[in-house]
Amino acid sequence: MELLLSLPQSFLLLLLLPANPAAGEDWQCPRTSYAASRDFDVKYVVPSFSAGGLVQAMVTYEGENESAVFVAIRNRLHVLGPDLKSLQSLVTGPAGDPGCQTCATCGPGPHGPPGDTDTKVLVLEPALPALVSCGSSLQGRCFLHELEPQGTALHLAAPACLFSAHHNRPDDCPDCVASPLGTRVTVVEQGQASYFYVASSLDASVAASFSPHSVSIRRLKADYSGFAPGFAALSVLPKYLASYSIEYVHSFQSGAFVYFLTVQPTSMTDAPGALHTRLARLSATETELGDYRELVLDCQFAPKRRRRGAPEDSRPYPVLRVAHSAPVGAQLATELSIAEGQEVLFGVFVAGKDGSPGVGPNSVVCAFPIDLLDTLIDKGVERCCESPVHPGLRRGLDFFQLPSFCPDPVSRKKGPLLVSCMRMAKYRLLPFHH
């Protein structure tokens, strides 16, 4: 109605008067300029919030009657309500500063060197429900913030320090979760317990400081005093920490599995080389790492228009920047040749670390149906572990375990063996320019 009232009167008359073309002439609607059909005086007010710094993490919560947005920046955690209005602000650093509200909850004990707190983990614990934040300071420990409803908004209760000083040592620290180099976490509920699937980037310095791990599955204690000891974990072997860097880009759960997406070198050589993207899969129902699997994601872009008979000129985009998983609708499902409602992993890939491919778009979006990824992983396991096995076939993942071959039943008796399933999942979608 507002658009109709804003139209020029002459245009309204043309709409209202009946058409009466001259005999023998084809009547056509008069051409109306774009500007004449729009009211540029309408002002749109978009809710906004200034965080006061670079946003490091963000989580949204939707309850039955209340909702909230949690925004983390350096040394501060903001709680936003409807229309992005600020409801609460919690000081999370610098560590050692008297004004640090989270630091004070840990009481006396080894806190590590003072410094700013960059938020490395911000996830929801659905059982309470609660928000869990983990920072780069205080040995990577985490804090639990229970959610308290206030009308249609939420408020964070006083934080609880998920750290027990007498249960943690430099060489064995179950409550040291976050790495200053980056950590991804997915929370999985199993019965009455909450398990944190954690993946952290390491180097020699970080590995020596508070004994974090590359991949681990940690159970949150029932009294919320920290994480239970004796959890399953994998870490890059010490001799590769300086040369083989794994960047964890994204983590998510789909069905019975938890997935991590990584960017890492293509080879184990000491010299820095090319990078590619891998998908790591763990069971969301078993808290052991014997079913750990990896798969290489191959994202390529080929121009749609090319000369008839000319070979396809595809360009690789091996480095993942951001990712998201979601079920697809009917139209996109048809384009991907899958069923409507199936979950698909979408990733934005670039040609290299600097994002400059030289020729072609700066980045492309590739889509990988989750069912396809699982099928390729299962085929890789069959090829390695079931008869007949190709002689000399390596299990891979030598940065996590000693070199071994398939099926290697002797080594299996000493502990779980990992399978890399070094197959490639290849899927192309459409270019994404920026």
Side-chain angles (χ1 to χ4, degrees), residues 314-369:
S314 61
R315 303 183 183 93
Y317 287 77
V319 178
L320 178 71
R321 282 303 191 194
V322 293
H324 179 70
S325 60
V328 296
Q331 181 175 349
L332 186 53
T334 300
E335 295 181 13
L336 297 177
S337 301
I338 61 176
E340 181 181 358
Q342 282 196 16
E343 192 158 5
V344 172
L345 171 65
F346 299 91
V348 177
F349 292 78
V350 298
K353 268 292 186 182
D354 57 357
S356 56
V359 179
N362 292 332
S363 60
V364 297
V365 175
C366 276
F368 301 86

Side-chain angles (χ1 to χ4, degrees), residues 90-424:
L90 191 69
V91 180
T92 59
D97 189 283
C100 178
Q101 295 171 266
T102 52
C103 309
T105 64
C106 292
H111 290 165
D116 290 325
T117 300
D118 292 321
T119 299
K120 297 300 179 180
V121 176
L122 194 66
V123 294
L124 288 170
E125 196 282 339
L128 281 175
L131 181 74
V132 175
S133 62
C134 314
S136 59
S137 62
L138 300 175
Q139 300 167 316
R141 68 190 64 178
C142 300
F143 299 88
L144 184 138
H145 318 261
E146 288 196 52
L147 307 183
E148 297 181 337
Q150 291 186 348
T152 59
L154 288 172
H155 185 86
L156 293 181
C161 181
L162 300 179
F163 189 91
S164 301
H166 56 286
H167 287 161
N168 295 282
R169 306 187 309 272
D171 61 334
D172 183 18
C173 186
D175 295 334
C176 299
V177 175
S179 165
L181 300 180
T183 298
R184 302 290 175 181
V185 172
T186 291
V187 183
V188 176
E189 281 191 281
Q190 294 186 22
Q192 301 299 318
S194 294
Y195 288 87
F196 283 56
Y197 285 66
V198 183
S200 296
S201 299
L202 305 180
D203 62 13
S205 175
V206 171
S209 61
F210 53 90
S211 66
H213 298 276
S214 299
V215 178
S216 60
I217 304 175
R218 311 183 189 220
R219 178 178 61 82
L220 188 62
K221 292 180 179 178
D223 60 358
Y224 303 109
S225 61
F227 295 88
F231 53 85
L234 296 171
S235 289
V236 174
L237 298 175
K239 64 179 179 179
Y240 296 121
L241 282 171
S243 60
Y244 199 84
S245 175
I246 303 177
E247 177 189 357
Y248 292 91
V249 180
H250 184 61
S251 173
F252 67 100
Q253 179 184 2
S254 177
F257 299 102
V258 172
Y259 303 86
F260 291 107
L261 291 162
T262 74
V263 172
Q264 58 196 79
T266 58
S267 68
M268 301 286 295
T269 59
D270 293 334
L275 300 173
H276 65 185
T277 298
R278 295 191 188 186
L279 175 113
R281 191 187 77 176
L282 300 88
S283 171
T285 58
E286 300 291 337
T287 58
E288 298 296 329
L289 293 172
D291 291 333
Y292 182 94
R293 306 287 183 257
E294 282 195 359
L295 187 72
V296 176
L297 299 185
D298 181 26
C299 179
Q300 297 190 17
F301 168 70
K304 291 184 177 180
R305 293 183 179 181
R306 56 189 177 92
R307 295 190 305 273
R308 181 175 299 177
E312 184 175 346
D313 181 21
S314 61
R315 303 183 183 93
Y317 287 77
V319 178
L320 178 71
R321 282 303 191 194
V322 293
H324 179 70
S325 60
V328 296
Q331 181 175 349
L332 186 53
T334 300
E335 295 181 13
L336 297 177
S337 301
I338 61 176
E340 181 181 358
Q342 282 196 16
E343 192 158 5
V344 172
L345 171 65
F346 299 91
V348 177
F349 292 78
V350 298
K353 268 292 186 182
D354 57 357
S356 56
V359 179
N362 292 332
S363 60
V364 297
V365 175
C366 276
F368 301 86
I370 303 297
D371 285 351
L372 169 65
L373 300 178
D374 288 334
T375 298
L376 290 174
I377 289 176
D378 293 340
K379 288 182 177 179
V381 175
E382 292 175 4
R383 183 168 176 258
C384 181
C385 302
E386 297 185 5
S387 299
V389 175
H390 188 277
L393 185 63
R394 300 178 66 90
R395 282 182 169 269
L397 302 177
D398 293 348
F399 47 87
F400 279 155
Q401 63 185 359
L402 296 176
S404 59
F405 296 90
C406 301
D408 201 353
V410 177
S411 298
R412 182 187 297 272
K413 298 178 182 179
K414 301 178 182 179
L417 283 176
L418 313 178
V419 182
S420 99
C421 317
M422 290 300 294
R423 303 174 67 91
M424 277 196 175

